[in-house]
């Protein structure tokens, strides 16, 4: 695992250099939330109930696209062979990229939540619990998202293949648990109240990180 | 991997016999059990066997895809990849059948085509989505070896998330009838037998169809090999 | 009773679909074999 900090540092540097990239994802989040807001404004629904699905859907879709470049970059710029030749185990590369995506996604989520609260008339009775659930859900999401991004970077139509591959895997695992837990938290449940969902999200995080760590070498080999 | 014609005919005959026996039992001979008699259409119960058997095969096919994927990554032998891919395609077919027949059954008994808060229904839909995504992956990856590796990894991820989803969603209320467990087994011995026969028959049918699909896969590989020779 | 008849028709359609798939597999196999034979002949002809 020795190479992980180095890879993390390099990935973050690349992200910082291309500042336009993260702006595009922030914009994407904003636009997704805006389209929800505009289309729902016609109906005057109960936003407190709809909050969890809207928030997580936005996070998943904008987040998904923000994870993609980290592997597609290698495929496009031909740096993949360099990575393969260097005596760095593939699993270190995976962890480094995953952590870097986590950093980017945290910033993206913070922005998304802020915009969400600005757009929608929603109360947050338990902000601590909300943040905890967001964090837990995001780790699992990024773990499996990174692995799938690594796969889709090699495919034709890679932009559309990422959601095609990722959504079925996430749907009944991270998505349902995160949305269920968040919905309860927004109606007043404390973190103990959603212990079930929190534990599940933590379990997903562990399983997906392990899976990514073990399987990435098969995805990256020449 | 070509099954000799005699084996194929034997399999086909056995499958047909089992399925017809189950059909006879289910449609004609068996009595609709107590708990079902006051539903709006008690005879709908009889169509249940077909659905259960096809759902079982869909999950079995998925298991085979998982084994094929894992074994390919371990051994690098393309036969395993061929097995995984073929089972995935056959699995989609049976999964589609399971979802449609389940939907028809739901319409007949409960009046609706679908229930969004039912665990087994949702899981089967997720399974279908994962299968289809797997096939989409393969369709978008031309090179033989890479295709095998990438789809094997995705196959494994897909399979991991099925039991994860089951564990996760026991917090959901289910209206799916749990007829199979012996504890709530108030379907009667005749129906239980019909169920067993239909499951066995469908399994044999699956093996048959898988064999046919594998043959096509094998032929495709041979054709590719030939083409590359001609290219010289 | 009428719903039951409709259901049977629906199931018949499903079985038909299943057999259509089997037929497709069968036809695929024959088509590929034909292609291979053609290619082999081309190879033999070239060898001569």
């Amino acid at each position: 695992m020795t190479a992980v900090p180095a890879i993390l540092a390099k990935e973050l540097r690349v992200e910082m250099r291309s500042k336009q990239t993260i702006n595009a994802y922030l914009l994407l989040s904003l636009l997704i939330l805006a389209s929800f807001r505009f289309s729902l404004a016609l109906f005057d629904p109960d936003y407190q109930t709809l909050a969890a699905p809207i928030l997580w859907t936005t996070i998943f879709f904008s987040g998904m696209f923000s994870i993609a470049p980290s592997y597609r970059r290698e495929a496009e710029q031909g740096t993949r062979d360099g990575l393969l030749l260097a005596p760095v185990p593939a699993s270190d590369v995976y962890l480094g990229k995953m952590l870097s995506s986590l950093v980017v996604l945290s910033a993206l989520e913070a922005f998304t939540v802020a915009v969400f609260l600005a757009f929608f008339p929603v109360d947050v009775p338990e902000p601590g619990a909300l943040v905890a659930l967001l964090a837990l859900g995001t780790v699992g999401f990024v773990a499996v998202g990174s692995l799938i991004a690594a796969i889709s970077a090699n495919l034709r139509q890679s932009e559309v293949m990422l959601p095609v591959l990722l959504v079925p895997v996430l749907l009944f695992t991270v998505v349902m648990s995160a949305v269920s837990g968040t919905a309860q938290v927004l109606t007043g449940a404390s973190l103990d109240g959603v212990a079930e969902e929190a534990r599940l999200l933590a379990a997903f995080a562990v399983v997906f990180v392990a899976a990514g760590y073990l399987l990435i070498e098969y995805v990256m080999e020449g | 991997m070509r099954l000799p014609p005699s084996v194929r005919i034997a399999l086909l005959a056995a499958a047909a016999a089992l399925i017809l026996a189950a059909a006879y039992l289910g449609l004609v001979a068996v009595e609709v059990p107590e708990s079902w008699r006051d539903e709006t259409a008690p005879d709908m119960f009889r169509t249940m066997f077909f659905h259960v058997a096809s759902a079982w095969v869909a999950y079995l096919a998925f298991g085979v895809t998982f084994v094929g994927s894992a074994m390919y990554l371990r051994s690098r032998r393309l036969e395993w990849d061929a097995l995984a891919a073929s089972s995935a395609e056959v699995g989609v077919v049976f999964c589609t059948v399971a979802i449609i027949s389940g939907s028809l059954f739901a319409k007949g008994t409960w009046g609706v085509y679908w229930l969004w808060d039912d665990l087994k229904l949702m899981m089967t839909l997720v399974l279908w989505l994962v299968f289809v995504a797997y096939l989409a992956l393969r369709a978008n990856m031309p090179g033989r070896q890479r295709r095998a590796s990438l789809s094997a990894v995705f196959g494994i991820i897909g399979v991991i998330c099925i039991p994860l989803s089951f564990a996760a969603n026991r917090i959901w209320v289910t209206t799916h009838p749990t007829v199979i467990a012996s504890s709530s087994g108030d379907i009667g011995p005749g129906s239980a037998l019909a169920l067993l026969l239909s499951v066995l028959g469908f399994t044999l049918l699956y093996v048959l169809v898988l064999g046919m699909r594998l043959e096509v896969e094998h032929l495709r590989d041979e054709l590719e090999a030939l083409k590359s020779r001609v290219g010289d | 009773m009428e719903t039951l008849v409709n259901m049977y028709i629906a199931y018949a359609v499903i079985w038909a679909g299943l057999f259509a798939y089997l037929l497709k597999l069968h036809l695929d196999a024959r088509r590929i074999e034909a292609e291979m034979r053609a290619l082999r002949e081309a190879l033999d002809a070239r060898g001569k």
Side-chain angles (χ1 to χ4, degrees):
Chain A
M1 293 228 203
T2 43
V4 175
I7 304 220
L8 173 57
K10 169 221 157 220
E11 287 291 320
L12 287 176
R13 242 179 293 134
V14 174
E15 281 295 334
M16 295 306 154
R17 242 183 272 150
S18 52
K19 249 203 269 171
Q20 299 94 310
T21 339
I22 188 161
N23 290 350
Y25 301 116
L26 297 177
L27 194 53
L28 181 59
S29 255
L30 178 69
L31 292 172
I32 295 176
L33 286 172
S35 45
F36 272 122
R37 189 65 175 97
F38 280 116
S39 45
L40 288 169
L42 299 169
F43 302 96
D44 190 28
D46 172 13
Y47 287 112
Q48 197 73 24
T49 319
L50 291 179
I54 293 175
L55 186 58
W56 278 105
T57 302
T58 309
I59 289 175
F60 283 130
F61 280 98
S62 56
M64 194 184 304
F65 291 115
S66 79
I67 298 178
S70 112
Y71 285 95
R72 210 178 23 229
R73 219 183 291 140
E74 319 290 352
E76 281 168 10
Q77 293 167 12
T79 42
R80 199 166 69 105
D81 292 330
L83 260 178
L84 288 171
L85 285 173
V88 173
S91 24
D92 282 5
V93 174
Y94 166 75
L95 282 179
K97 283 180 184 283
M98 191 198 104
L99 289 171
S100 132
S101 295
L102 207 48
V103 171
V104 172
L105 205 49
S106 305
L108 183 57
E109 271 183 35
F111 176 80
T112 306
V113 172
V115 174
F116 175 80
L117 291 174
F119 276 15
F120 294 87
V122 172
D123 303 315
V124 186
E126 296 271 347
L130 178 63
V131 170
L133 281 179
L134 281 172
L136 284 171
T138 307
V139 176
F141 170 52
V142 173
V144 73
S146 291
L147 183 62
I148 305 272
I151 293 179
S152 68
N154 296 285
L155 305 175
R156 290 195 299 224
Q157 304 185 285
S158 56
E159 305 82 18
V160 76
M161 284 311 292
L162 176 56
V164 166
L165 295 179
L166 189 51
V167 172
V169 168
L170 280 178
L171 205 51
F172 235 36
T173 52
V174 180
V175 175
M176 297 299 249
S177 297
V179 171
S180 163
T182 308
Q184 290 174 61
V185 160
L186 287 176
T187 44
S190 68
L191 197 53
D192 293 318
V194 293
E196 183 87 53
E197 282 89 345
R199 242 177 290 144
L200 283 171
L201 289 175
F204 294 143
V206 169
V207 172
F208 284 143
V209 171
Y213 187 84
L214 292 171
L215 293 172
I216 189 72
E217 57 170 298
Y218 300 107
V219 178
M220 289 192 65
E221 74 212 348
Chain B
M1 203 207 96
R2 239 194 144 115
L3 292 171
S6 51
V7 174
R8 277 200 227 179
I9 307 247
L11 265 181
L12 184 60
L18 283 169
I19 294 177
L20 286 173
Y24 170 72
L25 275 177
L27 295 176
V28 178
V30 157
E31 257 187 31
V32 178
E34 292 289 335
S35 51
W36 239 267
R37 274 193 217 141
D38 29 316
E39 299 276 356
T40 41
D43 277 322
M44 274 311 301
F45 169 79
R46 302 183 178 287
T47 55
M48 174 256 289
F49 307 103
F50 183 90
H51 160 71
V52 172
S54 37
W56 150 257
V57 167
Y59 281 90
L60 174 66
F62 198 46
V64 171
T65 297
F66 172 65
V67 170
S69 298
M71 290 305 297
Y72 172 75
L73 289 181
R74 168 107 60 88
S75 70
R76 294 299 173 167
R77 298 196 32 210
L78 286 170
E79 293 88 58
W80 287 112
D81 175 62
L83 179 66
S86 307
S87 187
E89 196 178 288
V90 176
V92 171
V93 172
F94 278 97
C95 202
T96 311
V97 167
I99 291 180
I100 296 180
S101 59
S103 188
L104 291 173
F105 181 82
K107 179 67 173 162
T109 27
W110 305 308
V112 284
Y113 282 110
W114 193 261
L115 293 164
W116 284 105
D117 48 4
D118 180 272
L119 177 59
K120 287 220 203 91
L121 276 173
M122 303 289 269
M123 288 314 308
T124 317
L125 183 60
V126 169
L127 182 65
W128 189 88
L129 290 173
V130 173
F131 265 141
V132 170
Y134 176 91
L135 294 175
L137 192 166
R138 294 190 71 93
N140 277 300
M141 187 67 226
R144 190 80 180 83
Q145 306 274 8
R146 291 289 277 151
R147 181 169 68 226
S149 307
L150 294 180
S151 39
V153 172
F154 184 70
I156 292 176
I157 301 276
V159 168
I160 292 175
C161 67
I162 300 286
L164 277 186
S165 310
F166 265 114
N169 292 281
R170 278 179 296 126
I171 51 181
W172 294 85
V173 174
T174 177
T175 51
H176 206 107
T178 44
V179 256
I180 304 166
S182 49
S183 50
S184 65
D186 48 358
I187 58 167
S191 306
L193 180 62
L195 205 55
L196 183 63
L197 292 180
S198 55
V199 166
L200 284 175
F202 265 69
T203 307
L204 289 182
L205 187 61
Y206 161 73
V207 173
L208 205 60
V209 179
L210 183 63
M212 290 178 68
R213 180 61 183 81
L214 264 175
E215 187 186 323
V216 172
E217 192 69 28
H218 182 68
L219 284 173
R220 281 204 190 124
D221 282 343
E222 267 186 51
L223 184 62
E224 283 309 310
L226 251 187
K227 278 188 181 163
S228 54
R229 269 176 59 202
V230 172
D232 298 340
Chain C
M1 196 51 216
E2 206 226 54
T3 12
L4 205 54
V5 171
N6 288 345
M7 293 304 158
Y8 287 154
I9 296 176
Y11 278 99
V13 169
I14 296 178
W15 276 111
L18 203 52
F19 277 105
Y21 177 66
L22 291 182
L23 189 63
K24 167 196 172 307
L25 285 182
H26 183 79
L27 292 176
D28 276 348
R30 299 298 147 248
R31 186 175 41 87
I32 297 179
E33 278 170 0
E35 233 181 293
M36 284 207 296
R37 245 170 301 153
L39 268 180
R40 285 212 183 92
E41 280 162 27
L43 262 180
D44 290 337
R46 210 197 287 174
K48 291 195 178 118

